[in-house]
Amino acid sequence: MKTDVEELTPTRVKLTVEVPFDELKPNLDKAYKEISQQVRIKGFRPGKVPAPLIDKYVGRGAVLQEAVNDALPELYGRAVEESEIFVLGQPDVEVTELDDGTQFAFTAEVDIRPKFEVPEYDGLEVVVDDAEVTDEQVEETIGNLRERFASLTNAERAAEEGDFASIDLVARIDGEEIEDASTTGYSYEVGSGSAVEGLDEALVGLAAGEDKTFTGALVGGEHAGEDAEITVTVQSVKIKNLPDLDDEFAQLASEFDTIDELRDDVRTRLGRQVKLQQLSEARDKALEALLEKVDIPLPEKVVEEEIGRRNQQLEQQLQMAGMTKEDYLKDEEKSAEEFDTEVADAARLAVKGGFVLDQLAVQEELGVENEELSEYVVTQAMQMGVQPQQLAEYLTQNNQLPAIVSEVLRSKALNLVVEHVTVKDESGNEIDVEAVQRELNGDTGETVQAETAETAESTDDAAETAEDAAEAGETPAETAEAAAEEAPAAEAKDEKDAKDKDA
């Protein structure tokens, strides 16, 4: 087999492959056998029809087509391997010659990862936020915990901001009641601003049994965005009572005996959280600093696929949160054009980051051990709330392991960059990233290790399969770990919770 490579652009090549016809013999034999099972010719059982009769009744051309379709994937794979290129996505294949008994030739145009070397990254310096826990943050956290243990008591007065009112809502447009915008017995915190605009103003000053009608734009349902006359009727008014911040509250809300012990624990937990955020920021900024030193072309098709993936992810998140894209853009105060530009920029950064980390893994000859793959599966399973073995089986059955190997490799490559980068906080203090990681892992290391051991047996074989696939060039070019993805789901979920029973 002979393969020529023509560079169409720095990110796309055309392979011209010539194959001696003899190499198609196994595929021709297979084609005759399969067609023989399908045709019905008098005097011959299925599978026993000789080749000359198949040529006569079915046609030699059909057999050749079947053989070529069967041979192409393996021949294309060999051509890619011999050319030592890193292909991205599916090729555009065209059969250019099929001379029966002599030669077979085809071309394949495909996107490739651009060829480049990752520059030296020693000496890079990044600045991250201070890992500081303030008294205000501690008190805010305890205050949120206090809110969870609040109680409600009936108030013999009109509603005020901060009260909880049980209300009925009836919305009408042109005198006709809108059923999906009306509700009864809805518990609403006055002044929260989490429902239809104008509701808070209408409720303040209303006592149980009183009502008020106002005009507001509906935020959900068939008539979303339309103005309606909304009548709110107060059934009851309740006052929120917060528990005192004392030792009794600490015993009620935690495993601690005193409020001082609870505060100390909150401070410790917040300290761990800000250090985790600091490490995450260090990784993101280390990659950003490295990417600034690299200038490479990007395959437009790969970028477009990444843009499509991100838009699809957003649509799914918004759908789960009960929001439209228009609602999201309004909340973010962005135009559709601004949003599209941001998504495109983030997609390009993600694709570029993936290429750089992939190339760095090659340059540094990084690999993935079975234990590392098992640990990754365990971590993901814990985050998803499923059993590690169940996730490992799913990944194996759905051929997702090559992508997992790619992700682990990229993470290792990024870890290597971080090790060579000087990380300082905004106060100018140099941060020992490895020491911080050891400190944080000290709390959970034993648990993770034990769970990894339980999962290792079910993932070892899968790891070997994945490594083979990755070496064969099947690793997809997906989003780099540290290329920041927009995550509107949490914000959308908060909005949805606030609007569940809007008029």
Side-chain angles (χ1 to χ4, degrees):
M1 186 176 80
K2 177 185 176 182
T3 303
D4 290 327
V5 181
E6 177 187 356
E7 184 179 290
L8 303 177
T9 71
T11 61
R12 192 169 179 83
V13 297
K14 179 179 180 180
L15 302 176
T16 300
V17 184
E18 297 178 356
V19 184
F21 197 83
D22 290 345
E23 291 192 27
L24 292 180
K25 186 177 185 309
N27 308 98
L28 282 168
D29 292 341
K30 181 180 177 183
Y32 276 118
K33 184 176 180 180
E34 291 182 353
I35 294 175
S36 177
Q37 294 283 354
Q38 300 169 10
V39 299
R40 296 292 181 267
I41 297 178
K42 187 175 181 179
F44 295 93
R45 290 178 296 167
K48 299 298 182 180
V49 181
L53 287 182
I54 292 177
D55 288 343
K56 179 179 179 181
Y57 289 101
V58 178
R60 174 72 169 178
V63 178
L64 287 174
Q65 187 63 50
E66 182 81 15
V68 166
N69 290 340
D70 182 61
L72 272 174
E74 191 263 336
L75 293 173
Y76 168 72
R78 283 169 53 192
V80 167
E81 185 176 357
E82 291 174 4
S83 303
E84 297 183 345
I85 55 177
F86 194 108
V87 299
L88 307 169
Q90 297 299 316
D92 295 326
V93 177
E94 179 183 0
V95 175
T96 56
E97 183 179 0
L98 184 54
D99 190 354
D100 194 356
T102 304
Q103 185 167 277
F104 164 57
F106 67 93
T107 61
E109 291 189 18
V110 64
D111 288 325
I112 62 169
R113 191 176 66 195
K115 294 181 179 180
F116 66 98
E117 292 291 319
V118 178
E120 183 58 51
Y121 43 89
D122 270 328
L124 289 177
E125 183 174 313
V126 298
V127 178
V128 298
D129 293 336
D130 290 334
E132 179 185 5
V133 177
T134 65
D135 293 340
E136 290 76 13
Q137 290 173 315
V138 173
E139 293 308 315
E140 181 182 359
T141 302
I142 293 178
N144 292 336
L145 181 61
R146 191 182 179 201
E147 291 278 350
R148 291 171 52 190
F149 288 86
S151 59
L152 298 177
T153 56
N154 287 322
E156 301 300 327
R157 59 167 173 75
E160 301 175 358
E161 284 197 9
D163 292 342
F164 279 79
S166 178
I167 59 176
D168 298 340
L169 290 171
V170 177
R172 294 182 174 87
I173 295 179
D174 296 331
E176 183 178 348
E177 181 176 344
I178 309 302
E179 293 186 4
D180 62 2
S182 302
T183 186
T184 59
Y186 177 37
S187 180
Y188 178 73
E189 183 177 5
V190 181
S192 64
S194 59
V196 63
E197 186 175 351
L199 179 60
D200 291 306
E201 293 79 0
L203 281 173
V204 173
L206 291 185
E210 296 179 342
D211 61 68
K212 191 171 185 179
T213 300
F214 63 98
T215 300
L218 302 180
V219 295
E222 183 180 351
H223 297 274
E226 296 183 34
D227 286 338
E229 284 192 347
I230 303 170
T231 300
V232 55
T233 303
V234 176
Q235 299 296 338
S236 65
V237 177
K238 294 186 177 182
I239 301 172
K240 178 171 64 177
N241 300 301
L242 297 174
D244 294 330
L245 286 177
D246 52 21
D247 294 346
E248 184 177 347
F249 168 70
Q251 295 165 17
L252 172 68
S254 70
E255 70 272 28
F256 300 105
D257 294 326
T258 68
I259 191 66
D260 289 338
E261 290 175 334
L262 174 59
R263 280 196 175 93
D264 289 342
D265 180 70
V266 168
R267 187 177 295 276
T268 299
R269 292 176 184 273
L270 288 177
R272 176 181 173 83
Q273 180 179 330
V274 295
K275 286 181 179 179
L276 284 170
Q277 292 171 345
Q278 197 178 56
L279 290 182
S280 177
E281 186 181 3
R283 292 170 66 84
D284 290 348
K285 290 193 172 181
L287 181 58
E288 289 175 8
L290 179 59
L291 294 185
E292 288 178 0
K293 299 183 66 176
V294 180
D295 184 18
I296 55 175
L298 302 177
E300 285 302 320
K301 186 175 181 181
V302 175
V303 173
E304 290 171 3
E305 289 174 352
E306 177 64 17
I307 292 173
R309 187 191 69 80
R310 286 167 177 259
N311 283 325
Q312 183 180 25
Q313 184 182 53
L314 173 63
E315 290 176 4
Q316 292 173 346
Q317 292 172 334
L318 293 178
Q319 186 176 12
M320 291 175 61
M323 291 181 68
T324 65
K325 186 174 179 179
E326 289 71 23
D327 293 334
Y328 172 70
L329 293 176
K330 183 179 179 181
D331 291 341
E332 293 294 311
E333 298 182 349
K334 297 177 184 175
S335 67
E337 293 75 16
E338 291 172 333
F339 175 78
D340 290 342
T341 299
E342 288 184 5
V343 171
D345 290 343
R348 288 184 174 278
L349 182 64
V351 172
K352 180 180 179 180
F355 288 171
V356 170
L357 292 178
D358 287 342
Q359 178 60 27
L360 182 59
V362 172
Q363 287 180 209
E364 300 293 346
E365 298 181 350
L366 301 180
V368 177
E369 302 293 335
N370 291 348
E371 293 79 7
E372 294 171 322
L373 189 61
S374 298
E375 183 175 350
Y376 177 90
V377 171
V378 168
T379 302
Q380 294 299 309
M382 292 174 64
Q383 294 177 357
M384 297 169 62
V386 300
Q387 292 297 318
Q389 185 173 354
Q390 179 183 354
L391 178 58
E393 291 173 353
Y394 172 83
L395 294 173
T396 304
Q397 293 169 1
N398 290 273
N399 195 33
Q400 294 295 308
L401 286 167
I404 299 304
V405 170
S406 174
E407 190 166 345
V408 174
L409 272 175
R410 288 175 176 179
S411 180
K412 293 181 70 173
L414 183 53
N415 288 340
L416 190 62
V417 175
V418 175
E419 289 174 8
H420 290 77
V421 168
T422 299
V423 181
K424 294 183 179 181
D425 62 23
E426 290 183 337
S427 299
N429 303 307
E430 188 167 333
I431 299 170
D432 186 337
V433 173
E434 292 186 15
V436 175
Q437 288 175 330
R438 287 195 299 271
E439 176 188 346
L440 295 175
N441 290 338
D443 296 339
T444 58
E446 294 182 3
T447 302
V448 171
Q449 185 177 2
E451 292 182 358
T452 301
E454 293 174 3
T455 313
E457 183 176 351
S458 63
T459 57
D460 277 353
D461 292 340
E464 294 173 4
T465 301
E467 289 182 74
D468 292 341
E471 291 173 3
E474 296 177 13
T475 304
E478 297 183 332
T479 309
E481 174 188 350
E485 271 197 44
E486 296 192 50
E491 299 175 17
K493 178 66 166 60
D494 290 342
E495 293 292 335
K496 193 266 181 185
D497 290 343
K499 297 176 180 178
D500 271 343
K501 290 193 176 182
D502 282 358

